[in-house]
Amino acid sequence: MGTYIARRLAHAALTLLAVATILFVLFRLMPGDPTAQVISPALDGAAQARLKAAFGLDRPLWQQYLIYLANVATLEWGQSFTTFEPVARIVADRMVNTLLLMSAGLAMAIGFGGALGMLMAWRRGGPLDIGATLAALVFQAAPPFVTGILLLMVLSYNLDLLPSAGMLTPGSKLFGLWEIVTSADFLSHLVLPTAAITVYYLATPMLIMRDSMLEVMGSDYVEFARAKGLSPAVVMVRHAARNALLGIVTVASLLLGFAIGGQVVVETVFSWPGMGKLMVEAATRHDYPVAQATFFMLATLVVGLNLLTDLSYGWLDPRIRTGHAR
Amino acid sequence: MRRRTFLQSSSALAGTAMLGGLPGGAGAQTAGGVVEKRSLITATAQLDPARPEIARLIAQACQKIGFNCEANPMDYNQGIQKVVMEHDYEMFLVILAGSPIRIDPQVFIYGMHHSGEHRRGGFNWMGYANPKLDALAVQQEGMLDLEKRKAPVFEAQQMIYDDQPGTIVAYPQLPMAHRSDKVKGLVPQLGEGIGSFWSDIGMEPIGGDGYVVTGHNADVKHLNPISANDIFEFYEIGMIYDRLMRIGPDGKPTLWAAKSVTAADDKTIDVTIRSGMKWHDGKPVTAEDVKFTFDYHLAQKAPFFLAYLRNIEAVDVTGADSVRFRLTKPFAPILSTVLAGVFLIPKHVWERIPGGGVDDALKFANENPIGSGPFKFDHWRRGQELKVSANKEHFSPPKCAGNLRVVYGSHDAMAAALEKGECHRTRYAIGASHVDQLKGKPNIVAKGYPTHGFYHLAYNNKIAPFNNPAFRQALNLVIPRQQISELVLLGYAEPGASVISPANAFWHNPAVKAPAEDTKKARDILQKAGFTWDGQGKLKYPA
C-alpha cells in the first residue's frame, strides 16, 4: 500500500509541474502584447516603462518563469495585476463561492442520479426507465445557459418566486461565511443555479448507476440474496446498489473537476461570483498571476480528485490495494 | 502561409516608402499597377458585436471604387499591438470612447493628428503629418482664452476633415436605462450618460432604504487613484475622492474643491481651496495635501496623468488654503486634464506608501480608501457589490443615502434585473438591443445619451494607396454611414464627420458635415488624381 501511494503521489506531482509550465507558456502565447492589456498602450512611454517594472514584466522570460515556479511551490501567488490584492486571497474567496454552488449542485445530481439509476435498473424497461433517460439526456444536451435562462424566466422574472442574480440581495448585512451560508437569503439565491447544475449533470451518474446495477443484478450473490427470501428493497439497496457504487465514485470525482471548469456558464447566467467568472475575467484582462493561479488550482483539484479516487478504489476494492489486479 | 507573405510584402512596402521618403504620391513599384487588396483590422464580435459588422459594410462599399478590402476582426489586444505599437497595419476600425478628459479638443486634435505623436504607443497611429495642422495644434494648446482658442480648433477640424487621414464613421450614443419609479434626479453628462458623477450626487431614490442600485457587468478593478487608468475605476474613485475642479454636465471644467482658479499669467495658475473640507478620517484638507497630491503623482509616475503632469514645473504652497501651479509652457488643457483630472489624496495616508508591506504605490490595493469626496467607502464584496454611503458633512452632500454598485453576469442579466426593479440604473452603456427591448416597459426609461466619442476608421498614411489624399477623400464618400448608424447601431448613432463631435457643442465646428454617399463623385476624384480602372473594374494606381 505504501509504495502504491508513493507512486501515485509522484505521478501527481509531475503532472502538476507539467501543468504549471504549460500554463506559463500558454498565457504568453495569447495574442497581443502580454503587456498591452495590463498596461494600456495609450499611456505615456515613461508611464508604461514604470508599470512594466512594477509588475516585473521587464525581466527576461526565464526569470519570470523561475519566480513563477517558486510561487507555485509556496502557493504564494503574488499580487493581482488588476486589483493588487494577494492572489491567494482572491482565489480562496472565489473558490469558496464556487464550491458552495458546485457541491450543492453535484450532490443533488449524484444523489438523485444514483437513486433514479437504481430504481430504473430495478424496473428496467418500465415507464420510469424510459422517461427519466429521455429527460436526463435532453437536459444534458441542452447547454446549461438555456436551462438556466428558462429557469430564470419562469421562476424569477414571471412568477417572482426567486431572486435572479448574485449570491445575496444587494446591500445585505451578512458578512461571516457561516452567517451567509445559513441565511434564507443565500439559500433562496442558491436554488436556481443549483437546479440548473443538477439537471445538467444528472444524466451521467444516473446512467452509470443504472448500468452497474444491471451488471450487479445478474450476479450470483444477488440471486442468492433473493433466494434467501430477503425483501426486494433490501436486496436492491444493501446488496446490489452498494456494489454498484464504485462506478459512481469515479464519476463523481471526474464530474467535480469537469463541472468547475464548466462553471463559467452557470456563474455568468446567474451572476454568481465564483471561480469560473474569475478565470474568464483574469484571462481576458491578461491578469497572469490570477489566471495562472485559478487554472493551476483547477488542475490541482482534478489531479487531487483523481488521486483520491485511485486511493479510495484501493479502499473500496482490496484487489487493487494488494496489487492483484495489476 | 499566404497571409504571412502578404503581411511581409506590405511592411516591406511601408519600409521603402519611408526610406525613399516618397512624398504623398504612390511609390514607383506601384505605378500603373492594380491597387492591392488591403486588410481592415477591427475587434471581434465578442468585444463589440457592431465592429465586425461595420468593417464588413465598409469593405463591401470599397468595391464601389474598385478597391478590394477585407474585414479582419481579431483579438483587441493583438490589434492594438499591431496598430498602436508597431504601426504594422493597413486600415483599423476602433471606437475612441468619449471619456471626460477627451472633451477638451487636445486629445483629438493634437494627440491624434500632430506629427510628433506618430510614435510607438502614440495616438497618431495613422502617421498623419501636415505642418499646417501641427502649427494649429500647437497654437490652440497655448491659448488659455477659451473663446479665442475656438478659432484654431475650428480650423483644425476642417483641415483634418479635408485631408481625411482617417474617417469618422459614426457618433454612437450611450444606450442606458433606469427605473423612473425607483430613482429621480439623474443628471446626464456628456460621454457618461446617467452613470455620471452629477447623477451620483443629484439622484434621489424613491422608497426603499435610500441606496440606489447601479448595475454594471464587470467588477471594479481597484480603488487606487494613483494607478487607475480607465473610466470604470474613475466613476467609483470619483465618488470617494474630490478633485480641484470637475468636468460639468456640459463638458466644461467647473470649480469643485477649488473656490477659485485664476491665471496670474499664461504660465502661472493660482488655486484657493474651500475652507472647512475634511478627509473621511476627520483630518482637515490643507494646501499641503494639494501640493503633496501633485508632487506624489509626478514622483510615482501616475500612468494616466503623467503626460499632462509634465507641463507642471512645480506646485508651491502660497497660504493655508492656496497653492500656485507653475507651468513649463502655456498649456490650456491643464484645467480639464490635471485640475479636473487628478484626485486629491491625504498626505498623512500616502506619504507612508511605499512602505509597510506595500512595495510600490501603483500596486497598493487601497482597501480602505480615505478621500474627502461626497461619498464614504462602506464595503466591497469582490465580484458582487461595492457600497459607498453619503458623506453628509461634504460641501455638496448627495441626496441619496448611498450607492450600491452591483455586478451582473451579463448585460442580459442586468436588463432583466432592471425590468424586475432589482437594479435602478445602469452605470455605463449597455447593448443597443437591450435598450430597444426595455423601451416602453412600465417605469423604465431606456434611451441613448450623447457622447463625444466616435467610430474611427484609420488609414496607414505611410503606405499606398492611403498615402494619396485623393484616395482617402474618395473612400470618405463611399462609406455607408447611414446604413451603419441605422442598421448596425440600431439608430443609436449619427453619421460622423468631424473629430470633435456635435455633442461636444462648444468645440464642434458645425461647418464640418457628414457627406452624402456619392460613388460618382468619389470616382471623379480618383480619376482626376490619375487613378484608372482595368477591364474588370479594378482600381489601378496613377501611371
Side-chain angles (χ1 to χ4, degrees):
Chain A
M1 189 68 185
T3 48
Y4 174 73
I5 294 177
R7 224 183 40 220
R8 283 277 170 250
L9 280 175
H11 278 183
L14 268 180
T15 313
L16 288 179
L17 178 68
V19 168
T21 308
I22 291 171
L23 278 178
F24 182 84
V25 176
L26 211 61
F27 278 113
R28 278 151 187 85
L29 283 182
M30 271 164 74
D33 179 346
T35 58
Q37 180 74 20
V38 187
I39 299 166
S40 162
L43 294 175
D44 182 89
Q48 288 187 31
R50 166 82 175 80
L51 281 170
K52 277 190 187 176
F55 293 124
L57 291 169
D58 57 338
R59 294 172 199 242
L61 262 192
W62 65 269
Q63 269 189 30
Q64 292 185 37
Y65 179 64
L66 289 183
I67 295 171
Y68 163 73
L69 278 190
N71 284 348
V72 172
T74 54
L75 289 184
E76 170 54 63
W77 296 95
Q79 265 177 294
S80 155
F81 282 180
T82 53
T83 72
F84 315 136
E85 292 170 284
V87 174
R89 196 178 76 197
I90 305 178
V91 174
D93 284 355
R94 299 294 192 101
M95 189 69 135
V96 169
N97 297 347
T98 288
L99 286 178
L100 285 173
L101 175 54
M102 261 356 284
S103 46
L106 287 182
M108 302 279 272
I110 291 165
F112 273 133
L116 273 174
M118 182 179 76
L119 291 170
M120 285 158 70
W122 202 253
R123 298 253 182 275
R124 188 181 183 185
L128 177 73
D129 190 14
I130 295 165
T133 307
L134 185 72
L137 289 180
V138 166
F139 282 124
Q140 192 187 33
F145 67 84
V146 172
T147 330
I149 289 172
L150 280 175
L151 284 169
L152 276 176
M153 264 177 59
V154 177
L155 295 173
S156 180
Y157 304 147
N158 290 344
L159 301 177
D160 204 10
L161 294 174
L162 292 160
S164 69
M167 229 169 80
L168 291 167
T169 302
S172 161
K173 304 242 174 355
L174 304 171
F175 286 95
L177 181 63
W178 183 248
E179 221 182 6
I180 290 175
V181 172
T182 51
S183 68
D185 188 29
F186 170 78
L187 293 175
S188 69
H189 280 82
L190 188 65
V191 175
L192 287 182
T194 302
I197 292 170
T198 305
V199 297
Y200 184 63
Y201 289 108
L202 189 68
T204 313
M206 187 184 88
L207 295 179
I208 295 260
M209 185 64 185
R210 178 180 174 276
D211 287 356
S212 359
M213 271 293 279
L214 287 177
E215 210 173 297
V216 170
M217 273 161 57
S219 61
D220 296 344
Y221 67 86
V222 173
E223 285 299 315
F224 185 70
R226 276 191 222 257
K228 274 201 300 189
L230 294 174
S231 76
V234 171
V235 177
M236 177 173 80
V237 176
R238 286 239 191 100
H239 295 260
R242 235 176 120 178
N243 283 290
L245 272 179
L246 208 62
I248 292 259
V249 172
T250 321
V251 169
S253 66
L254 286 179
L255 219 54
L256 187 60
F258 190 65
I260 288 181
Q263 184 72 343
V264 179
V265 176
V266 176
E267 288 182 0
T268 303
V269 170
F270 294 97
S271 310
W272 192 271
M275 281 275 278
K277 277 200 76 190
L278 183 67
M279 285 164 91
V280 176
E281 254 170 45
T284 48
R285 287 174 171 178
H286 288 235
D287 190 345
Y288 294 156
V290 175
Q292 282 161 350
T294 48
F295 280 88
F296 186 78
M297 290 306 288
L298 179 64
T300 310
L301 201 70
V302 175
V303 170
L305 286 170
N306 277 334
L307 185 70
L308 275 182
T309 315
D310 284 354
L311 298 181
S312 67
Y313 259 39
W315 177 69
L316 288 172
D317 186 344
R319 283 171 303 180
I320 297 172
R321 170 170 62 212
T322 50
H324 288 310
R326 216 185 296 163
Chain B
M1 198 59 220
R2 239 184 73 227
R3 213 183 119 57
R4 174 163 296 174
T5 343
F6 171 65
L7 285 177
Q8 272 168 354
S9 67
S10 70
S11 59
L13 204 112
T16 1
M18 276 186 279
L19 288 174
L22 298 165
Q29 70 271 56
T30 57
V34 169
V35 173
E36 306 85 338
K37 182 177 183 176
R38 292 304 193 190
S39 149
L40 166 49
I41 296 180
T42 194
T44 55
Q46 198 190 358
L47 184 93
D48 171 11
R51 258 177 261 190
E53 287 306 316
I54 296 176
R56 265 175 225 122
L57 283 178
I58 291 173
Q60 237 171 43
C62 289
Q63 303 289 351
K64 291 185 187 167
I65 52 169
F67 168 53
N68 201 354
C69 161
E70 183 187 44
N72 182 10
M74 62 168 74
D75 176 84
Y76 182 69
N77 288 323
Q78 197 181 359
I80 290 288
Q81 173 70 16
K82 280 183 161 309
V83 177
V84 182
M85 306 304 276
E86 294 165 6
H87 301 153
D88 173 20
Y89 77 105
E90 289 145 12
M91 300 161 86
F92 180 53
L93 177 74
V94 72
I95 288 190
L96 288 162
S99 56
I101 213 158
R102 293 174 176 166
I103 292 174
D104 186 284
Q106 177 73 356
V107 173
F108 290 149
I109 302 279
Y110 190 109
M112 272 182 82
H113 296 97
H114 190 279
S115 59
E117 297 298 306
H118 182 60
R119 52 182 170 80
R120 194 180 163 84
F123 263 69
N124 182 2
W125 50 78
M126 299 171 288
Y128 179 57
N130 177 350
K132 278 190 209 151
L133 192 275
D134 285 359
L136 284 173
V138 171
Q139 190 195 356
Q140 61 82 29
E141 147 184 294
M143 296 169 76
L144 291 182
D145 185 323
L146 296 185
E147 283 299 333
K148 284 189 187 145
R149 189 175 163 211
K150 265 184 169 179
V153 168
F154 274 35
E155 202 184 332
Q157 289 175 62
Q158 187 67 55
M159 192 177 290
I160 291 165
Y161 177 79
D162 292 341
D163 274 353
Q164 287 290 312
T167 296
I168 314 298
V169 177
Y171 303 122
Q173 298 167 356
L174 299 173
M176 298 176 93
H178 75 273
R179 294 284 304 209
S180 54
D181 60 336
K182 302 276 184 188
V183 58
K184 61 176 184 180
L186 295 171
V187 184
Q189 179 177 5
L190 180 59
E192 296 196 345
I194 51 167
S196 75
F197 174 77
W198 305 104
S199 290
D200 293 341
I201 58 163
M203 64 193 179
E204 289 174 65
I206 303 167
D209 59 357
Y211 282 82
V212 174
V213 178
T214 303
H216 203 282
N217 70 333
D219 203 3
V220 190
K221 289 188 212 138
H222 59 80
L223 295 173
N224 180 337
I226 314 292
S227 53
N229 65 11
D230 85 39
I231 181 170
F232 302 129
E233 274 72 60
F234 285 152
Y235 278 123
E236 313 307 326
I237 293 171
M239 298 174 87
I240 302 169
Y241 289 87
D242 274 328
R243 292 157 150 153
L244 288 175
M245 301 179 83
R246 288 196 189 257
I247 308 277
D250 58 350
K252 272 195 231 163
T254 51
L255 294 175
W256 185 252
K259 195 161 62 184
S260 73
V261 173
T262 48
D265 59 59
D266 59 5
K267 281 166 59 180
T268 314
I269 295 171
D270 287 319
V271 175
T272 309
I273 57 169
R274 289 170 187 267
S275 42
M277 286 171 58
K278 284 201 173 93
W279 299 109
H280 296 159
D281 59 7
K283 298 202 167 78
V285 179
T286 64
E288 272 302 329
D289 287 316
V290 177
K291 174 181 165 54
F292 173 81
T293 295
F294 291 91
D295 290 352
Y296 191 82
H297 277 75
L298 201 54
Q300 295 298 332
K301 297 197 171 132
F304 189 81
F305 299 108
L306 187 59
Y308 307 109
L309 288 169
R310 288 236 179 78
N311 297 298
I312 297 178
E313 196 172 277
V315 181
D316 307 320
V317 175
T318 50
D321 286 340
S322 55
V323 291
R324 165 168 284 188
F325 289 82
R326 283 187 282 123
L327 309 185
T328 53
K329 61 173 187 201
F331 186 65
I334 195 86
L335 298 188
S336 56
T337 57
V338 176
L339 268 55
V342 172
F343 299 100
L344 297 178
I345 53 171
K347 184 178 178 190
H348 61 275
V349 172
W350 289 84
E351 67 187 351
R352 291 182 311 221
I353 293 163
V358 181
D359 63 349
D360 192 319
L362 297 191
K363 291 198 291 180
F364 176 40
N366 196 24
E367 288 176 317
N368 285 302
I370 301 288
S372 60
F375 292 89
K376 288 182 182 176
F377 175 79
D378 187 310
H379 73 252
W380 180 7
R381 265 186 235 271
R382 309 282 165 151
Q384 302 177 61
E385 62 182 32
L386 170 66
K387 183 178 178 181
V388 294
S389 298
N391 173 11
K392 296 290 179 200
E393 292 166 40
H394 194 265
F395 60 82
S396 176
K399 295 188 178 134
C400 57
N403 187 60
L404 258 174
R405 183 195 193 275
V406 175
V407 180
Y408 292 94
S410 60
H411 284 171
D412 299 285
M414 207 192 320
L418 262 158
E419 208 178 323
K420 261 193 101 176
E422 290 172 358
C423 173
H424 304 163
R425 64 162 177 164
T426 59
R427 181 56 114 184
Y428 197 63
I430 56 174
S433 55
H434 294 107
V435 165
D436 256 4
Q437 249 170 43
L438 289 170
K439 218 183 243 175
K441 295 265 163 72
N443 298 319
I444 286 189
V445 179
K447 59 178 197 169
Y449 292 87
T451 168
H452 49 293
F454 46 82
Y455 278 92
H456 184 250
L457 174 63
Y459 311 117
N460 187 342
N461 285 222
K462 299 276 186 188
I463 62 169
F466 308 111
N467 53 5
N468 189 332
F471 183 82
R472 305 192 302 254
Q473 285 154 0
L475 274 186
N476 179 41
L477 293 175
V478 296
I479 287 171
R481 290 174 162 91
Q482 209 67 39
Q483 216 180 344
I484 290 168
S485 297
E486 276 164 23
L487 295 184
V488 184
L489 301 171
L490 302 175
Y492 295 97
E494 295 290 324
S498 171
V499 286
I500 307 292
S501 145
N504 193 356
F506 185 78
W507 295 111
H508 171 70
N509 179 353
V512 182
K513 289 198 178 79
E517 267 176 77
D518 193 337
T519 310
K520 190 187 167 302
K521 199 167 155 196
R523 294 178 83 102
D524 286 349
I525 291 176
L526 288 169
Q527 205 163 19
K528 211 177 282 173
F531 284 88
T532 52
W533 287 269
D534 71 4
Q536 292 163 301
K538 286 187 184 149
L539 187 66
K540 285 163 67 181
Y541 284 108

